[in-house]
Amino acid sequence: MPGGLICRSCRSPLTARPRPHRPAPCPPGLPPLWVVTDYVGAVRELLLGFKERGVTGLADSLARPLAAATLAAASPPIGQPVVVVPVPSQRAAVRRRGDDVVALLARRTARELRRSGVDARAVPALVHRRPVADSAGLSAVERSANLRGALTVVPWLAATLCPHEVVVVDDLVTTGATLCEATRALAASGIAVAGAATLAATRRRCA
């Protein structure tokens, strides 16, 4: 994927029609969630390259399928604006990666939606209010406990989200704990979430 270019075979899974997804076990409070494909093979390598290896040139190619999932999650009435709210990265991750790559992906996703005629914009309304532990190796229950109360809404941005169709986006869903916490934080500020969208979902066994 030099320069952010994706070969045809690697791109193929990202051209799938977005589908509803529920992690197993499904955490309470998870909004309707739409994903494009599974977090395996070439898709896994693409997302790792984008998120952890600085291949931000992939943003446009990844935004197209995420825009399709976002539109499925929003299902807005004709003319109803869609607000794309990215899951925020922690400050340490932003420093390490050089950018908040999920926020970048959200901006490009909103741009793709506008190109298709949807009134859309990205609003980085969520921020971390406290550090959270690395989720690698944690169970679904431990991830939920780790994230509970970790996010909050930027006060001056809260009013800009209502009464639009709000969709929370991330690159990947594993247990759904992060999307649940994002939804909880938005709801605490009076913001209803229409749905959530990610590019990929990990394959997990019921626990």
Side-chain angles (χ1 to χ4, degrees), residues 85 125-127 129 151-163 166 181-193:
V85 177
L126 293 167
V127 293
R129 66 194 306 176
L151 301 181
T152 190
V153 175
V154 180
W156 64 271
L157 288 176
T160 70
L161 302 181
C162 297
V166 174
E181 172 56 19
T183 301
R184 182 212 60 79
L186 289 162
S189 292
I191 300 159
V193 173

Side-chain angles (χ1 to χ4, degrees), residues 6-19 35-44 46 65 199-200 203:
I6 304 178
C7 69
R8 182 177 298 178
S9 61
C10 294
R11 187 186 303 115
S12 179
L14 293 171
T15 63
R17 185 186 297 272
R19 66 179 191 267
V35 305
V36 179
T37 189
D38 293 324
Y39 186 62
V40 294
V43 171
R44 180 178 183 275
L46 287 171
L199 286 163
R203 295 175 178 173

Side-chain angles (χ1 to χ4, degrees), residues 1-7 11 46 50 54-62 64:
M1 52 187 176
L5 298 176
I6 304 178
C7 69
R11 187 186 303 115
L46 287 171
F50 174 68
V55 191
T56 55
L58 291 168
D60 286 341
S61 296
L62 296 176
R64 295 183 192 107

